Amino acid sequence: MKLKLNINNRYYNANIDADESLLDVLRHLGFKSVKKGCDTGTCGVCSVLIDGEPILSCQFLAARAEGHKITTVEGLGEKADEIIDVIINEGADQCGYCGPALVLTTYAMKQELKNPTVEKINHYLAGNLCRCSGYEGQLRGIKKYMGVE
Amino acid sequence: MRFEKYIRPQNFEEALQILKSDQNSVILGGTTFLRLSDRKYSTGIDLSDLGLDFIKEVNDQIEIGAYTSLRKIETDPIINKNFGNLLPKSIENLIGIQFRNNATIGGAIFGRLGFTEIITALLVLDCELEFEENGKVDFNEFISNWNIKRDILKKIIIKKKQGKSSYKMMRNSSADFPILSVAVSNFDTIKIAVGTRPSIAKLSEKASQLINSDNNKINEAVNLITDEFKFGDDLRAGKEYRKNIAPILVKRALQEVLI
C-alpha cells in the first residue's frame, strides 16, 4: 500500500506492506538514527516522536503513522545538540547506540515535565535501555539539562 | 502479528461489517504485539478515526474511550483525582513511557492477558464495558466469561465513588511485568482482586465475604486467599512463591483501605 509520511516536517512517499512497522519504513527511507534493537517493544532504541510523544516505532504501524507528525533525532536539529553536549560532557556517550532514542525521549520529557525531579526523570527514562549500562553518566548530564540539582 | 490488508473504517457500521464478514480479521489496538506474535490475519482493522481516544466525566461516572493510551490514563487529572490513584498505580511501571503511549486500554482489556495489571485494578471498581453490538456489559462478567469475541469495544464506564483503594504488586525489576498484582477497594463494600497469578485477574469471593462481615477479621480473610485462588509457574516466579506473597500483599492492601 502507498502512503505519505510527514517526517521531520517533510513529506515522504512510501510503498509498504500493510503490517510493516514504522521502524522498518523509517530505516528504508534512510533514517538510520532509528535503531533496531530488540524489535519486540522492550529496549527503547527505536523510539521516535509521534505528534511530540515518544513511542516505540517497532510496534507502531507505519500505516497508522500517516496523518501524524513523525520526529526522528535528525528533526530536532540544534535542540538535539544541547542534549548531546550535556551527555558528552559527562563522558556518557559510550557506544552511541541508544543515543538518538535517549535524546528524543529527553527532549519530550523536557516539554512534558513541569517540575522535574530525579525520581520523575528516572521514571520517564525507564524504557530507554543502554547496553553499555552507563546510566549514571547519562543521568548526570540529563539532570543538568533538566535543571535538576 | 501479520495481516495482508489494513483498513481504517470511517464509522462503526463499516468496522463491524468488516469484522463480522471476515472471521480472520482483527481489530488493532495499540499493536504492542506487532512483533511478539506470529499469528496471521487477513485484515487489520484500525479504529483510529472513530474518536475513541478520550477521558471524560459524565455525571457520576468516568468514561474512557477504548483507544485511549495507558500513558494518557496514567497522567490524566480526572483519573488521578478519583479512586485513590488506583488506575495510574496499576499502569505506571509497565515497561516504559514509549510502550504506554502505544498501548491502549481497549487492547489491554480485550486481550485478557494474565499480566495485564489494569484488569486487576478495574475489577475492584464499579465498571462496565460498552460494545457496538452487545451494548453495555459488566466488566467482571466479560473478564470471567469472555463471552464476546467479535464485537467492537467502544468505551469503559466507571462509576465514581467515595472511599479508599489500594494497589499492590511485586515485580523482579521496575519496568518488567509483575509476578503478582493485588487491588482492594472499600467503597460500598470491600472488593479484593488478585492478578498475574500468572493467569488473568479474578475477584475474591470468600475472603471478601468474610472481611465485609467483620472488618476486624483481616488475618482470617487473608488466610483464605491461598485456597481461593489458583497460582502457577512462569519464567518470572514459581507457584509456591506466588502463593506465599499473595496473602502478604492482600493484607497490606486491606490494612490501607480499612484505616
Side-chain angles (χ1 to χ4, degrees):
Chain A
M1 60 185 284
K2 289 181 178 170
L3 77 168
K4 196 182 246 189
L5 294 174
N6 177 341
I7 308 167
N8 302 329
N9 292 321
R10 268 190 63 190
Y11 281 96
Y12 293 81
N13 291 310
N15 200 352
I16 64 157
D17 290 334
D19 55 7
E20 206 165 345
S21 71
L22 181 59
L23 166 63
D24 286 342
V25 172
L26 286 170
R27 288 186 63 83
H28 287 152
L29 288 171
F31 294 93
K32 297 292 170 70
S33 73
V34 189
K35 304 298 184 198
K36 195 166 195 166
C38 68
D39 204 21
T40 57
T42 307
C43 72
V45 298
C46 67
S47 299
V48 298
L49 306 183
I50 292 279
D51 300 329
E53 290 184 348
I55 56 101
L56 298 168
S57 63
C58 74
Q59 54 177 214
F60 198 95
L61 282 173
R64 184 175 273 179
E66 194 172 41
H68 297 277
K69 283 182 79 170
I70 304 158
T71 308
T72 68
V73 79
E74 293 91 336
L76 289 187
E78 289 180 359
K79 295 168 199 159
D81 295 341
E82 207 183 327
I83 303 167
I84 293 164
D85 286 347
V86 293
I87 292 173
I88 288 177
N89 288 343
E90 296 296 335
D93 45 328
Q94 300 157 124
C95 84
Y97 200 76
C98 69
L102 181 66
V103 168
L104 277 166
T105 315
T106 302
Y107 174 76
M109 174 169 67
K110 177 99 168 174
Q111 315 307 306
E112 189 178 328
L113 294 187
K114 303 295 172 221
N115 299 299
T117 61
V118 173
E119 194 185 22
K120 284 180 185 171
I121 292 171
N122 280 333
H123 183 71
Y124 204 100
L125 298 177
N128 288 78
L129 302 187
C130 164
R131 64 186 183 184
C132 310
S133 69
Y135 298 107
E136 287 300 320
Q138 290 175 349
L139 183 62
R140 281 197 302 274
I142 291 168
K143 270 164 52 183
K144 284 181 186 162
Y145 172 74
M146 297 294 289
V148 173
E149 289 302 315
Chain B
M1 63 197 287
R2 306 298 311 263
F3 43 87
E4 288 159 17
K5 269 195 301 182
Y6 168 88
I7 296 179
R8 212 192 274 196
Q10 294 305 300
N11 56 60
F12 288 108
E13 293 74 26
E14 185 190 352
L16 195 62
Q17 192 270 328
I18 299 164
L19 186 70
K20 293 281 181 185
S21 62
D22 180 354
Q23 292 299 309
N24 198 27
S25 61
V26 62
I27 291 182
L28 303 169
T31 62
T32 56
F33 269 71
L34 197 59
R35 290 291 176 266
L36 291 173
S37 161
D38 55 5
R39 195 161 165 195
K40 288 182 181 162
Y41 299 92
S42 57
T43 308
I45 307 168
D46 188 346
L47 307 181
S48 295
D49 290 346
L50 300 188
L52 295 176
D53 179 3
F54 61 83
I55 298 173
K56 57 188 176 189
E57 277 179 300
V58 181
N59 302 322
D60 63 341
Q61 56 196 31
I62 293 170
E63 297 186 352
I64 306 173
Y67 262 46
T68 308
S69 74
L70 297 185
R71 174 69 178 157
K72 194 177 262 187
I73 294 169
E74 177 189 345
T75 55
D76 185 82
I78 298 171
I79 298 289
N80 270 277
K81 76 174 183 196
N82 283 285
F83 323 118
N85 290 341
L86 180 70
L87 295 180
K89 279 181 192 163
S90 72
I91 297 167
E92 65 188 13
N93 288 298
L94 182 61
I95 319 285
I97 274 171
Q98 300 94 321
F99 183 94
R100 301 196 294 278
N101 272 330
N102 282 6
T104 61
I105 187 167
I109 291 170
F110 214 93
R112 292 180 79 259
L113 297 164
F115 54 75
T116 308
E117 291 170 272
I118 198 164
I119 291 179
T120 313
L122 286 168
L123 276 172
V124 300
L125 300 175
D126 193 346
C127 185
E128 282 183 320
L129 303 176
E130 187 174 311
F131 292 89
E132 170 65 11
E133 196 174 50
N134 284 273
K136 288 181 182 169
V137 174
D138 178 70
F139 180 72
N140 186 28
E141 191 187 316
F142 174 77
I143 293 300
S144 308
N145 304 328
W146 201 22
N147 44 2
I148 297 169
K149 292 182 183 172
R150 306 291 295 172
D151 201 349
I152 296 168
L153 175 59
K154 292 163 79 174
K155 61 186 173 188
I156 295 93
I157 305 162
I158 312 170
K159 284 236 165 65
K160 285 197 285 184
K161 287 192 173 171
Q162 294 295 316
K164 286 185 175 177
S165 63
S166 174
Y167 180 78
K168 301 285 175 198
M169 56 75 194
M170 193 154 173
R171 56 213 320 138
N172 291 324
S173 66
S174 64
D176 196 3
F177 291 121
I179 55 177
L180 201 81
S181 60
V182 166
V184 174
S185 67
N186 185 6
F187 301 125
D188 308 332
T189 58
I190 297 167
K191 286 185 181 178
I192 303 167
V194 182
T196 335
R197 298 172 284 113
S199 50
I200 193 164
K202 201 178 120 184
L203 276 174
S204 146
E205 288 175 16
K206 292 177 188 166
S208 299
Q209 207 171 18
L210 183 64
I211 197 71
N212 278 305
S213 68
D214 184 347
N215 287 355
N216 293 314
K217 290 191 172 171
I218 292 182
N219 287 331
E220 292 87 336
V222 161
N223 286 338
L224 297 173
I225 292 292
T226 45
D227 291 331
E228 199 176 346
F229 290 94
K230 280 187 184 160
F231 298 90
D233 303 309
D234 67 1
L235 57 90
R236 291 184 179 81
K239 178 181 174 178
E240 287 306 312
Y241 189 64
R242 286 190 163 98
K243 224 174 175 175
N244 277 290
I245 62 170
I248 297 165
L249 296 186
V250 172
K251 185 174 182 175
R252 288 177 184 170
L254 276 172
Q255 284 171 333
E256 277 185 19
V257 303
L258 286 169
I259 292 169

